[in-house]
PDB file of all heavy atoms in Angstrom:
ATOM      1  N   ALA A  11      18.128  -5.815  -7.647  1.00 92.00           N
ATOM      2  CA  ALA A  11      18.520  -5.088  -6.430  1.00 92.00           C
ATOM      3  C   ALA A  11      17.410  -4.072  -6.066  1.00 92.00           C
ATOM      4  O   ALA A  11      17.097  -3.926  -4.880  1.00 92.00           O
ATOM      5  CB  ALA A  11      19.834  -4.388  -6.631  1.00 92.00           C
ATOM      6  N   GLU A  12      16.882  -3.368  -7.048  1.00 92.00           N
ATOM      7  CA  GLU A  12      15.813  -2.423  -6.786  1.00 92.00           C
ATOM      8  C   GLU A  12      14.562  -3.123  -6.309  1.00 92.00           C
ATOM      9  O   GLU A  12      13.838  -2.626  -5.421  1.00 92.00           O
ATOM     10  CB  GLU A  12      15.534  -1.604  -8.050  1.00 92.00           C
ATOM     11  CG  GLU A  12      16.633  -0.677  -8.437  1.00 92.00           C
ATOM     12  CD  GLU A  12      16.906   0.410  -7.407  1.00 92.00           C
ATOM     13  OE1 GLU A  12      15.921   0.923  -6.813  1.00 92.00           O
ATOM     14  OE2 GLU A  12      18.086   0.748  -7.183  1.00 92.00           O
ATOM     15  N   ARG A  13      14.291  -4.274  -6.882  1.00 91.00           N
ATOM     16  CA  ARG A  13      13.115  -5.044  -6.420  1.00 91.00           C
ATOM     17  C   ARG A  13      13.237  -5.466  -4.966  1.00 91.00           C
ATOM     18  O   ARG A  13      12.298  -5.315  -4.161  1.00 91.00           O
ATOM     19  CB  ARG A  13      12.954  -6.295  -7.304  1.00 91.00           C
ATOM     20  CG  ARG A  13      11.839  -7.240  -6.900  1.00 91.00           C
ATOM     21  CD  ARG A  13      11.753  -8.451  -7.813  1.00 91.00           C
ATOM     22  NE  ARG A  13      10.731  -9.364  -7.392  1.00 91.00           N
ATOM     23  CZ  ARG A  13      10.858 -10.297  -6.461  1.00 91.00           C
ATOM     24  NH1 ARG A  13      12.065 -10.516  -5.898  1.00 91.00           N
ATOM     25  NH2 ARG A  13       9.834 -11.082  -6.144  1.00 91.00           N
ATOM     26  N   LYS A  14      14.389  -5.948  -4.565  1.00 91.00           N
ATOM     27  CA  LYS A  14      14.586  -6.414  -3.195  1.00 91.00           C
ATOM     28  C   LYS A  14      14.433  -5.290  -2.200  1.00 91.00           C
ATOM     29  O   LYS A  14      13.981  -5.512  -1.041  1.00 91.00           O
ATOM     30  CB  LYS A  14      15.959  -7.066  -3.077  1.00 91.00           C
ATOM     31  CG  LYS A  14      16.007  -8.443  -3.760  1.00 91.00           C
ATOM     32  CD  LYS A  14      17.400  -9.057  -3.663  1.00 91.00           C
ATOM     33  CE  LYS A  14      17.425 -10.435  -4.315  1.00 91.00           C
ATOM     34  NZ  LYS A  14      18.805 -11.044  -4.326  1.00 91.00           N
ATOM     35  N   LYS A  15      14.775  -4.065  -2.557  1.00 90.00           N
ATOM     36  CA  LYS A  15      14.600  -2.916  -1.673  1.00 90.00           C
ATOM     37  C   LYS A  15      13.136  -2.743  -1.265  1.00 90.00           C
ATOM     38  O   LYS A  15      12.828  -2.264  -0.174  1.00 90.00           O
ATOM     39  CB  LYS A  15      15.073  -1.654  -2.341  1.00 90.00           C
ATOM     40  CG  LYS A  15      16.563  -1.469  -2.515  1.00 90.00           C
ATOM     41  CD  LYS A  15      16.816  -0.126  -3.204  1.00 90.00           C
ATOM     42  CE  LYS A  15      18.312   0.082  -3.490  1.00 90.00           C
ATOM     43  NZ  LYS A  15      18.521   1.368  -4.219  1.00 90.00           N
ATOM     44  N   ARG A  16      12.261  -3.132  -2.162  1.00 88.00           N
ATOM     45  CA  ARG A  16      10.855  -2.821  -1.997  1.00 88.00           C
ATOM     46  C   ARG A  16      10.024  -3.971  -1.462  1.00 88.00           C
ATOM     47  O   ARG A  16       8.800  -3.816  -1.237  1.00 88.00           O
ATOM     48  CB  ARG A  16      10.268  -2.342  -3.317  1.00 88.00           C
ATOM     49  CG  ARG A  16      10.846  -0.958  -3.723  1.00 88.00           C
ATOM     50  CD  ARG A  16      10.706  -0.649  -5.220  1.00 88.00           C
ATOM     51  NE  ARG A  16      11.155   0.717  -5.497  1.00 88.00           N
ATOM     52  CZ  ARG A  16      12.378   1.101  -5.649  1.00 88.00           C
ATOM     53  NH1 ARG A  16      13.371   0.176  -5.555  1.00 88.00           N
ATOM     54  NH2 ARG A  16      12.719   2.334  -5.868  1.00 88.00           N
ATOM     55  N   LEU A  17      10.629  -5.132  -1.304  1.00 89.00           N
ATOM     56  CA  LEU A  17       9.880  -6.299  -0.785  1.00 89.00           C
ATOM     57  C   LEU A  17       9.554  -6.093   0.694  1.00 89.00           C
ATOM     58  O   LEU A  17      10.400  -5.679   1.476  1.00 89.00           O
ATOM     59  CB  LEU A  17      10.698  -7.572  -0.949  1.00 89.00           C
ATOM     60  CG  LEU A  17      10.856  -8.102  -2.401  1.00 89.00           C
ATOM     61  CD1 LEU A  17      11.805  -9.292  -2.424  1.00 89.00           C
ATOM     62  CD2 LEU A  17       9.506  -8.463  -2.960  1.00 89.00           C
ATOM     63  N   ARG A  18       8.331  -6.417   1.066  1.00 86.00           N
ATOM     64  CA  ARG A  18       7.881  -6.271   2.459  1.00 86.00           C
ATOM     65  C   ARG A  18       7.061  -7.486   2.805  1.00 86.00           C
ATOM     66  O   ARG A  18       6.276  -8.008   1.998  1.00 86.00           O
ATOM     67  CB  ARG A  18       7.010  -5.022   2.635  1.00 86.00           C
ATOM     68  CG  ARG A  18       7.799  -3.728   2.548  1.00 86.00           C
ATOM     69  CD  ARG A  18       6.917  -2.535   2.603  1.00 86.00           C
ATOM     70  NE  ARG A  18       5.967  -2.532   3.731  1.00 86.00           N
ATOM     71  CZ  ARG A  18       5.355  -1.463   4.192  1.00 86.00           C
ATOM     72  NH1 ARG A  18       5.634  -0.295   3.685  1.00 86.00           N
ATOM     73  NH2 ARG A  18       4.497  -1.550   5.192  1.00 86.00           N
ATOM     74  N   PRO A  19       7.188  -8.009   4.044  1.00 85.00           N
ATOM     75  CA  PRO A  19       6.441  -9.197   4.407  1.00 85.00           C
ATOM     76  C   PRO A  19       4.927  -8.977   4.474  1.00 85.00           C
ATOM     77  O   PRO A  19       4.173  -9.937   4.370  1.00 85.00           O
ATOM     78  CB  PRO A  19       7.009  -9.546   5.799  1.00 85.00           C
ATOM     79  CG  PRO A  19       7.597  -8.260   6.323  1.00 85.00           C
ATOM     80  CD  PRO A  19       8.089  -7.540   5.118  1.00 85.00           C
ATOM     81  N   ASP A  20       4.478  -7.732   4.623  1.00 82.00           N
ATOM     82  CA  ASP A  20       3.039  -7.483   4.725  1.00 82.00           C
ATOM     83  C   ASP A  20       2.356  -7.373   3.423  1.00 82.00           C
ATOM     84  O   ASP A  20       1.105  -7.342   3.347  1.00 82.00           O
ATOM     85  CB  ASP A  20       2.756  -6.233   5.575  1.00 82.00           C
ATOM     86  CG  ASP A  20       3.571  -5.026   5.168  1.00 82.00           C
ATOM     87  OD1 ASP A  20       4.416  -5.146   4.251  1.00 82.00           O
ATOM     88  OD2 ASP A  20       3.345  -3.935   5.746  1.00 82.00           O
ATOM     89  N   GLY A  21       3.092  -7.359   2.335  1.00 81.00           N
ATOM     90  CA  GLY A  21       2.494  -7.396   1.003  1.00 81.00           C
ATOM     91  C   GLY A  21       1.389  -6.379   0.810  1.00 81.00           C
ATOM     92  O   GLY A  21       1.484  -5.217   1.214  1.00 81.00           O
ATOM     93  N   PRO A  22       0.239  -6.819   0.254  1.00 81.00           N
ATOM     94  CA  PRO A  22      -0.887  -5.934   0.015  1.00 81.00           C
ATOM     95  C   PRO A  22      -1.487  -5.315   1.290  1.00 81.00           C
ATOM     96  O   PRO A  22      -2.168  -4.276   1.213  1.00 81.00           O
ATOM     97  CB  PRO A  22      -1.930  -6.809  -0.704  1.00 81.00           C
ATOM     98  CG  PRO A  22      -1.165  -7.955  -1.228  1.00 81.00           C
ATOM     99  CD  PRO A  22      -0.036  -8.193  -0.283  1.00 81.00           C
ATOM    100  N   THR A  23      -1.241  -5.950   2.435  1.00 84.00           N
ATOM    101  CA  THR A  23      -1.850  -5.441   3.660  1.00 84.00           C
ATOM    102  C   THR A  23      -1.138  -4.201   4.181  1.00 84.00           C
ATOM    103  O   THR A  23      -1.532  -3.628   5.200  1.00 84.00           O
ATOM    104  CB  THR A  23      -1.847  -6.526   4.781  1.00 84.00           C
ATOM    105  OG1 THR A  23      -0.483  -6.862   5.064  1.00 84.00           O
ATOM    106  CG2 THR A  23      -2.615  -7.764   4.315  1.00 84.00           C
ATOM    107  N   GLN A  24      -0.098  -3.746   3.463  1.00 87.00           N
ATOM    108  CA  GLN A  24       0.549  -2.467   3.839  1.00 87.00           C
ATOM    109  C   GLN A  24      -0.341  -1.285   3.519  1.00 87.00           C
ATOM    110  O   GLN A  24      -0.065  -0.187   3.889  1.00 87.00           O
ATOM    111  CB  GLN A  24       1.887  -2.307   3.128  1.00 87.00           C
ATOM    112  CG  GLN A  24       1.769  -2.175   1.624  1.00 87.00           C
ATOM    113  CD  GLN A  24       3.149  -2.190   0.949  1.00 87.00           C
ATOM    114  OE1 GLN A  24       3.783  -1.147   0.768  1.00 87.00           O
ATOM    115  NE2 GLN A  24       3.564  -3.395   0.542  1.00 87.00           N
ATOM    116  N   TYR A  25      -1.446  -1.557   2.767  1.00 84.00           N
ATOM    117  CA  TYR A  25      -2.393  -0.527   2.379  1.00 84.00           C
ATOM    118  C   TYR A  25      -3.744  -0.730   3.078  1.00 84.00           C
ATOM    119  O   TYR A  25      -4.057  -1.849   3.518  1.00 84.00           O
ATOM    120  CB  TYR A  25      -2.636  -0.512   0.894  1.00 84.00           C
ATOM    121  CG  TYR A  25      -1.417  -0.137   0.065  1.00 84.00           C
ATOM    122  CD1 TYR A  25      -0.616  -1.105  -0.529  1.00 84.00           C
ATOM    123  CD2 TYR A  25      -1.072   1.170  -0.106  1.00 84.00           C
ATOM    124  CE1 TYR A  25       0.503  -0.785  -1.258  1.00 84.00           C
ATOM    125  CE2 TYR A  25       0.042   1.563  -0.846  1.00 84.00           C
ATOM    126  CZ  TYR A  25       0.828   0.558  -1.436  1.00 84.00           C
ATOM    127  OH  TYR A  25       1.927   0.903  -2.159  1.00 84.00           O
ATOM    128  N   VAL A  26      -4.512   0.322   3.161  1.00 83.00           N
ATOM    129  CA  VAL A  26      -5.844   0.242   3.692  1.00 83.00           C
ATOM    130  C   VAL A  26      -6.757   0.959   2.700  1.00 83.00           C
ATOM    131  O   VAL A  26      -6.425   1.992   2.134  1.00 83.00           O
ATOM    132  CB  VAL A  26      -5.950   0.917   5.093  1.00 83.00           C
ATOM    133  CG1 VAL A  26      -5.508   2.369   5.037  1.00 83.00           C
ATOM    134  CG2 VAL A  26      -7.349   0.797   5.640  1.00 83.00           C
ATOM    135  N   ASP A  27      -7.919   0.329   2.410  1.00 80.00           N
ATOM    136  CA  ASP A  27      -8.892   0.925   1.517  1.00 80.00           C
ATOM    137  C   ASP A  27      -9.591   2.114   2.187  1.00 80.00           C
ATOM    138  O   ASP A  27      -9.892   2.068   3.396  1.00 80.00           O
ATOM    139  CB  ASP A  27      -9.952  -0.100   1.064  1.00 80.00           C
ATOM    140  CG  ASP A  27      -9.362  -1.120   0.106  1.00 80.00           C
ATOM    141  OD1 ASP A  27      -8.205  -0.936  -0.325  1.00 80.00           O
ATOM    142  OD2 ASP A  27     -10.064  -2.084  -0.222  1.00 80.00           O
ATOM    143  N   LEU A  28      -9.870   3.133   1.436  1.00 76.00           N
ATOM    144  CA  LEU A  28     -10.552   4.306   1.941  1.00 76.00           C
ATOM    145  C   LEU A  28     -12.022   4.092   2.025  1.00 76.00           C
ATOM    146  O   LEU A  28     -12.604   3.364   1.204  1.00 76.00           O
ATOM    147  CB  LEU A  28     -10.260   5.516   1.101  1.00 76.00           C
ATOM    148  CG  LEU A  28      -8.835   6.040   1.033  1.00 76.00           C
ATOM    149  CD1 LEU A  28      -8.730   7.247   0.124  1.00 76.00           C
ATOM    150  CD2 LEU A  28      -8.332   6.407   2.414  1.00 76.00           C
ATOM    151  N   THR A  29     -12.653   4.721   2.977  1.00 65.00           N
ATOM    152  CA  THR A  29     -14.113   4.791   3.021  1.00 65.00           C
ATOM    153  C   THR A  29     -14.508   6.215   2.640  1.00 65.00           C
ATOM    154  O   THR A  29     -13.782   7.154   2.909  1.00 65.00           O
ATOM    155  CB  THR A  29     -14.675   4.458   4.411  1.00 65.00           C
ATOM    156  OG1 THR A  29     -14.083   5.346   5.382  1.00 65.00           O
ATOM    157  CG2 THR A  29     -14.359   3.015   4.783  1.00 65.00           C
ATOM    158  N   ASP A  30     -15.604   6.341   1.969  1.00 59.00           N
ATOM    159  CA  ASP A  30     -15.997   7.644   1.446  1.00 59.00           C
ATOM    160  C   ASP A  30     -16.561   8.573   2.521  1.00 59.00           C
ATOM    161  O   ASP A  30     -17.399   8.149   3.332  1.00 59.00           O
ATOM    162  CB  ASP A  30     -17.017   7.496   0.309  1.00 59.00           C
ATOM    163  CG  ASP A  30     -16.354   7.073  -0.976  1.00 59.00           C
ATOM    164  OD1 ASP A  30     -15.255   7.581  -1.254  1.00 59.00           O
ATOM    165  OD2 ASP A  30     -16.930   6.239  -1.688  1.00 59.00           O
ATOM    166  N   ASP A  31     -16.127   9.773   2.497  1.00 56.00           N
ATOM    167  CA  ASP A  31     -16.708  10.820   3.289  1.00 56.00           C
ATOM    168  C   ASP A  31     -17.960  11.330   2.561  1.00 56.00           C
ATOM    169  O   ASP A  31     -17.844  11.766   1.410  1.00 56.00           O
ATOM    170  CB  ASP A  31     -15.716  11.970   3.462  1.00 56.00           C
ATOM    171  CG  ASP A  31     -16.253  13.115   4.327  1.00 56.00           C
ATOM    172  OD1 ASP A  31     -17.451  13.107   4.610  1.00 56.00           O
ATOM    173  OD2 ASP A  31     -15.462  14.038   4.629  1.00 56.00           O
ATOM    174  N   PRO A  32     -19.151  11.264   3.178  1.00 54.00           N
ATOM    175  CA  PRO A  32     -20.338  11.713   2.450  1.00 54.00           C
ATOM    176  C   PRO A  32     -20.235  13.130   1.935  1.00 54.00           C
ATOM    177  O   PRO A  32     -20.860  13.465   0.934  1.00 54.00           O
ATOM    178  CB  PRO A  32     -21.443  11.587   3.529  1.00 54.00           C
ATOM    179  CG  PRO A  32     -20.937  10.563   4.484  1.00 54.00           C
ATOM    180  CD  PRO A  32     -19.440  10.728   4.506  1.00 54.00           C
ATOM    181  N   ALA A  33     -19.404  13.931   2.577  1.00 52.00           N
ATOM    182  CA  ALA A  33     -19.275  15.311   2.112  1.00 52.00           C
ATOM    183  C   ALA A  33     -18.705  15.372   0.703  1.00 52.00           C
ATOM    184  O   ALA A  33     -18.939  16.334  -0.038  1.00 52.00           O
ATOM    185  CB  ALA A  33     -18.385  16.108   3.047  1.00 52.00           C
ATOM    186  N   TYR A  34     -17.937  14.332   0.300  1.00 53.00           N
ATOM    187  CA  TYR A  34     -17.347  14.366  -1.045  1.00 53.00           C
ATOM    188  C   TYR A  34     -18.425  14.330  -2.109  1.00 53.00           C
ATOM    189  O   TYR A  34     -18.222  14.847  -3.200  1.00 53.00           O
ATOM    190  CB  TYR A  34     -16.399  13.180  -1.215  1.00 53.00           C
ATOM    191  CG  TYR A  34     -15.855  13.162  -2.629  1.00 53.00           C
ATOM    192  CD1 TYR A  34     -14.820  13.999  -3.022  1.00 53.00           C
ATOM    193  CD2 TYR A  34     -16.374  12.307  -3.634  1.00 53.00           C
ATOM    194  CE1 TYR A  34     -14.290  14.004  -4.315  1.00 53.00           C
ATOM    195  CE2 TYR A  34     -15.884  12.311  -4.901  1.00 53.00           C
ATOM    196  CZ  TYR A  34     -14.842  13.153  -5.226  1.00 53.00           C
ATOM    197  OH  TYR A  34     -14.356  13.138  -6.506  1.00 53.00           O
TER     198      TYR A  34
END
């Protein structure tokens, strides 16, 4: 039941990779 709450059709694409701010 807990697993099903968290299933989403977009899978890994729900995230976006960060690009580095040169200031860091």
